[in-house]
Amino acid sequence: MNKFFDYLEQDLPDCVIRELLHYIRRFMEAMAGEIPVEGKMGGYRFCASRGEDGGVRVHWVQVGRQQIAVDATV
C-alpha cells in the first residue's frame, strides 16, 4: 500500500489518495475475477484487478491527462 501512496503523493493530496484507495477497494469487491477492469472516481481513472490472494492490484491511475503506472497491491 505504501507504493500506492509513493507513486501518487506528488500529484494528489493524502485525503484524495485515501478516498481513491477506498473507492478502488469497494469497486473491486463488486467485480469478480482476475481480469483488469477500468473504473472512474470523479476526474480520476484507474485500472485494477483482483489478485489470487484476494487483494486488489492497482495497475495505473490517471490524474488529468497523466497516467501514472502504480502496479501496487492494496
Side-chain angles (χ1 to χ4, degrees), residues 23-71:
Y23 182 83
I24 291 171
R25 285 181 173 161
R26 284 193 344 243
F27 181 82
M28 291 311 297
E29 284 177 11
M31 301 291 164
E34 298 173 10
I35 299 171
V37 293
E38 292 185 18
K40 183 177 179 182
M41 182 192 90
Y44 309 108
R45 296 177 51 92
F46 60 87
C47 179
S49 61
R50 293 190 68 108
E52 292 177 6
D53 62 353
V56 175
R57 183 175 177 195
V58 180
H59 302 279
W60 54 261
V61 173
Q62 184 172 338
V63 179
R65 294 184 180 194
Q66 179 184 8
Q67 193 175 78
I68 303 164
V70 177
D71 195 26

